[in-house]
């Protein structure tokens, strides 16, 4: 893109060139962008697949997926600064409680060969930080399943299903929830899902079927600030099943 093209875009949005995040060097940026309206920001402050101004709907939404790019608050659409995280909440007892029907909790396990291990830095589908009050977030391009059985990973629980070893997704929550709860919902039209989460206080939570369906839901109250490691598994031995993972306040 030429200097004058960038200058025109910045003036159109009432911003100067100083407000633009520098796009990483890349051989080709699409214009027009073929990936619009998919919930992923594909401009340089996101996935860096398309030129500035060509994925406006996704990149103007702070809840869209921005991958490892500088994000909404560094893009040409942002009108405010990123929210300042509020102090860590101190819920009664200091631990989370799963309030959704069919949720099961286990205090240990994990990390052994073939079992879910939250200590692995790299996840399969990335990470995201959500600030209190943002409402909801959809994890893009996630799948359900794996090749490792849970049966020997959490003794005494009877948890069944198949996952990968590293987390599928890492979710960070910052701020004090106004609703007092947070929900993780995994759905798939192709497979019976299982959902496994390691919460900021170190507990493991599991759900197979919820609300009379083969989908999986875990709702927590109170809401702890910090890191949630998530495994999106399948009840049967299968992998790469298209799925959707939503997080709701």
């Amino acid at each position: 893109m030429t200097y004058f093209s960038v200058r025109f875009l910045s003036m159109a949005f009432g911003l100067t060139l100083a407000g633009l995040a520098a796009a990483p060097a890349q051989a080709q940026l699409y214009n027009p962008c073929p990936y619009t309206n998919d919930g992923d920001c594909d401009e340089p402050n996101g996935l860096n697949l398309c030129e500035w101004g060509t994925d406006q709907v996704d990149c103007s939404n702070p809840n869209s997926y921005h991958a490892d790019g500088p994000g909404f608050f560094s893009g040409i659409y942002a009108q405010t600064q990123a929210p300042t995280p509020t102090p860590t909440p101190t819920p009664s007892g200091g631990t989370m409680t799963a309030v959704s029907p069919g949720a099961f909790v286990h205090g240990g396990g994990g990390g052994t060969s073939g079992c879910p291990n939250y200590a692995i830095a790299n996840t399969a589908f990335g990470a995201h930080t959500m600030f209190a009050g943002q409402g909801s977030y959809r994890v893009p391009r996630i799948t359900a399943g794996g090749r490792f059985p849970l049966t020997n990973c959490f003794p005494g629980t009877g948890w069944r299903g198949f996952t990968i070893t590293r987390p599928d997704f890492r979710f960070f929550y910052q701020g004090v929830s106004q609703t007092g709860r947070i929900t993780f919902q995994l759905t798939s039209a192709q497979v019976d899902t299982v959902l496994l989460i390691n919460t900021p206080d170190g507990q493991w939570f599991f759900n197979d079927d919820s609300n009379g369906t083969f989908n999986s839901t875990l709702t927590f109250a109170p809401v702890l600030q910090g890191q949630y490691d998530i495994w999106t598994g399948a009840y049967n031995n299968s992998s790469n099943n298209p799925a959707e993972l939503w997080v709701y306040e």
Side-chain angles (χ1 to χ4, degrees):
M1 180 180 285
T2 66
Y3 169 85
F4 296 103
S5 298
V6 177
R7 182 64 177 172
F8 173 79
L9 279 174
S10 64
M11 292 177 64
F13 287 95
L15 299 173
T16 65
L17 283 175
L20 298 178
Q26 188 161 317
Q28 172 67 46
L29 296 181
Y30 289 101
N31 186 359
C33 183
Y35 310 115
T36 58
N37 298 297
D38 63 354
D40 305 328
C41 174
D42 295 294
E43 293 181 16
N45 62 320
L47 299 179
N48 194 34
L49 299 175
C50 302
E51 292 186 0
W52 287 110
T54 60
D55 192 15
Q56 297 183 20
V57 172
D58 295 322
C59 295
S60 64
N61 181 357
N63 293 321
S64 290
Y65 180 56
H66 288 78
D68 294 326
F72 170 78
F73 295 101
S74 299
I76 61 178
Y77 305 101
Q79 301 298 318
T80 59
Q81 297 297 314
T84 301
T86 50
T88 303
T90 54
S92 175
T95 58
M96 301 192 74
T97 301
V99 298
S100 51
F104 301 92
V105 62
H106 184 62
T112 57
S113 179
C115 289
N117 185 354
Y118 59 80
I120 299 176
N122 295 325
T123 68
F125 297 99
H128 178 74
T129 298
M130 188 168 109
F131 296 90
Q134 289 186 345
S136 65
Y137 175 73
R138 179 186 69 88
V139 178
R141 302 189 180 111
I142 202 164
T143 64
R147 296 300 183 190
F148 297 101
L150 294 176
T151 50
N152 297 322
C153 296
F154 301 93
T157 63
W159 294 353
R160 300 182 63 87
F162 292 81
T163 67
I164 61 177
T165 299
R166 59 178 171 162
D168 284 290
F169 196 75
R170 182 163 287 140
F171 180 81
F172 298 92
Y173 187 84
Q174 295 191 18
V176 179
S177 170
Q178 299 301 307
T179 65
R181 60 178 56 203
I182 192 168
T183 295
F184 297 83
Q185 183 179 71
L186 175 65
T187 63
S188 174
Q190 297 188 16
V191 69
D192 181 353
T193 64
V194 298
L195 181 61
L196 179 70
I197 299 178
N198 186 267
T199 53
D201 58 359
Q203 293 192 94
W204 293 91
F205 292 85
F206 172 87
N207 178 255
D208 178 11
D209 301 330
S210 66
N211 302 318
T213 72
F214 291 120
N215 298 315
S216 307
T217 303
L218 284 170
T219 298
F220 300 106
V223 182
L224 293 187
Q225 185 170 241
Q227 177 176 318
Y228 296 76
D229 288 299
I230 304 167
W231 286 262
T232 55
Y235 187 80
N236 296 313
N237 188 350
S238 64
S239 298
N240 301 318
N241 301 287
E244 282 199 343
L245 177 63
W246 283 86
V247 185
Y248 302 97
E249 288 186 286

